[in-house]
């Protein structure tokens, strides 16, 4: 409950306010002071306009400052990513599989002289198109389950891919040789490769464990089988089994 002294102070403040109002009202009715009051009103209006302008500019600068901070954070993040990429360039970069060309350089058109179709010749056996296993991307490697990777690293897997591609190239180089030019050893290899083919591997490139032993330095062991699991998981190879033989078909 307010004391008598507090009530007295409140009443005195209200009385003083009322006196000021009557005093201002009397000034407003004084013709000699009307012009001064009008000037004061105009000055107050100008001050209010200036304050509104300053407030709008401050809000605009605050918006621009926020945009600059967002841009700074974005540039800093991109710089960190670029620095990380620079320090972690993989030893094996993905590459596009070379496409075989069936065009004959002799078939090029000469300006103003289109080449006329030549008479039909005896069909020539086209070269065998040899696929390659594409390197794993770092993103793919990171999505391989941990139990499947074990302690294997990204570079180790791609190094094995290099060896497997070497085996595939060596195998299909033999398959592409003319039979007349083959030695007895090469002819035996050729016949073995042909016997390994099935309907499922027709037109596909594949290798078997014997090819790894013959054409690479890899050991066919548990670790290599683990890498085969990763390559299957990443859709680089698939298995075709039959006649007690596992064929690894390139995708």
């Amino acid at each position: 409950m307010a004391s008598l002294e507090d009530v007295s102070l409140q009443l005195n403040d209200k009385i003083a306010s009322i006196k000021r109002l009557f005093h201002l009202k009397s000034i407003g009715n004084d013709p000699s002071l009307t012009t001064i009051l009008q000037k004061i009103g105009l000055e107050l209006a100008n001050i209010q306009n200036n304050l509104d302008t300053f407030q709008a500019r401050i809000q605009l600068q605050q918006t621009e400052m926020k945009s600059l901070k967002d841009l700074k954070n974005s540039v800093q993040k991109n710089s960190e990513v670029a620095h990380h990429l620079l320090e972690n360039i993989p030893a094996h970069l993905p590459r596009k599989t070379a496409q075989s060309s069936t065009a004959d350089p002799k078939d090029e058109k000469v300006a103003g002289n289109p080449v006329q179709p030549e008479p039909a010749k005896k069909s020539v056996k086209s070269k065998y198109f040899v696929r390659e296993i594409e390197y794993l991307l770092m993103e793919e490697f990171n999505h391989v389950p941990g139990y499947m990777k074990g302690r294997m690293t990204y570079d180790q897997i791609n190094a094995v891919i290099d060896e497997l591609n070497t085996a595939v190239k060596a195998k299909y180089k033999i398959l592409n040789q003319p039979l007349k030019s083959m030695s007895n050893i090469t002819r035996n290899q050729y016949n073995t490769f042909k016997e390994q083919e099935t309907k499922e591997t027709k037109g596909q490139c594949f290798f078997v464990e014997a090819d790894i032993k013959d054409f690479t330095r890899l050991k066919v062991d548990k670790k290599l089988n683990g890498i085969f699991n990763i390559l299957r998981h990443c859709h680089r190879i698939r298995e075709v089994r039959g006649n007690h033989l596992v064929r690894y078909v390139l995708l």
Side-chain angles (χ1 to χ4, degrees):
M1 184 175 179
S3 63
L4 183 61
E5 185 179 355
D6 294 334
V7 174
S8 177
L9 288 173
Q10 291 178 2
L11 288 174
N12 289 332
D13 288 340
K14 290 182 178 181
I15 291 170
S17 297
I18 292 171
K19 287 181 178 180
R20 284 194 294 272
L21 290 173
F22 278 112
H23 179 65
L24 291 172
K25 182 177 180 182
S26 63
I27 292 175
N29 294 328
D30 188 347
S32 62
L33 299 176
T34 301
T35 303
I36 296 175
L37 290 175
Q38 289 176 347
K39 289 181 178 180
I40 293 174
L42 291 174
E43 291 294 334
L44 289 175
N46 289 333
I47 292 173
Q48 183 64 45
N49 290 334
N50 290 334
L51 288 175
D52 292 340
T53 301
F54 289 148
Q55 186 176 8
R57 290 181 178 178
I58 290 172
Q59 290 177 348
L60 179 61
Q61 290 179 352
Q62 288 176 341
T63 303
E64 292 177 349
M65 183 68 70
K66 184 178 182 302
S67 298
L68 289 174
K69 286 182 178 179
D70 293 340
L71 180 60
K72 178 184 176 182
N73 293 335
S74 177
V75 170
Q76 185 176 1
K77 184 177 180 180
N78 290 336
S79 177
E80 292 174 355
V81 171
H83 186 68
H84 174 75
L85 292 175
L86 183 62
E87 292 184 344
N88 296 275
I89 297 176
H92 303 85
L93 295 175
R95 60 193 174 192
K96 293 184 177 179
T97 304
Q99 298 294 328
S100 59
S101 175
T102 58
D104 190 337
K106 296 180 181 180
D107 291 339
E108 294 181 354
K109 293 184 178 180
V110 182
N113 295 314
V115 177
Q116 298 297 327
E118 296 181 359
K121 297 181 180 179
K122 293 183 179 180
S123 61
V124 180
K125 185 178 180 181
S126 61
K127 289 187 177 181
Y128 211 104
F129 173 64
V130 181
R131 294 184 61 86
E132 290 186 355
I133 303 174
E134 294 183 0
Y135 292 128
L136 290 190
L137 301 178
M138 182 59 73
E139 183 180 0
E140 292 177 300
F141 178 76
N142 290 336
H143 282 83
V144 174
Y147 75 87
M148 195 177 290
K149 287 188 292 190
R151 296 183 179 180
M152 286 183 287
T153 65
Y154 173 77
D155 289 334
Q156 287 175 340
I157 295 175
N158 281 330
V160 170
I161 289 177
D162 269 334
E163 292 287 334
L164 295 177
N165 285 333
T166 298
V168 173
K169 289 178 182 177
K171 174 179 180 177
Y172 284 92
K173 181 179 180 181
I174 293 173
L175 283 169
N176 194 43
Q177 287 183 18
L179 291 174
K180 294 180 180 180
S181 66
M182 293 182 183
S183 64
N184 290 333
I185 296 176
T186 304
R187 189 183 294 271
N188 290 335
Q189 288 179 309
Y190 176 90
N191 292 332
T192 300
F193 297 155
K194 283 296 185 180
E195 291 173 357
Q196 293 170 352
E197 294 179 355
T198 66
K199 291 181 179 179
E200 292 185 67
T201 63
K202 186 177 181 180
Q204 305 293 322
C205 294
F206 70 92
F207 62 90
V208 298
E209 289 186 0
D211 300 328
I212 298 172
K213 296 176 182 178
D214 291 341
F215 301 117
T216 74
R217 298 166 294 178
L218 298 174
K219 293 182 179 179
V220 181
D221 54 12
K222 185 177 180 180
K223 181 178 180 180
L224 184 61
N225 288 327
I227 293 178
F228 287 164
N229 288 335
I230 293 175
L231 296 181
R232 283 196 299 269
H233 177 78
C234 295
H235 306 291
R236 293 299 190 274
I237 61 174
R238 66 182 177 89
E239 289 185 0
V240 174
R241 296 175 179 266
N243 296 329
H244 308 288
L245 188 66
V246 181
R247 301 160 185 81
Y248 299 97
V249 180
L250 279 59
L251 299 178

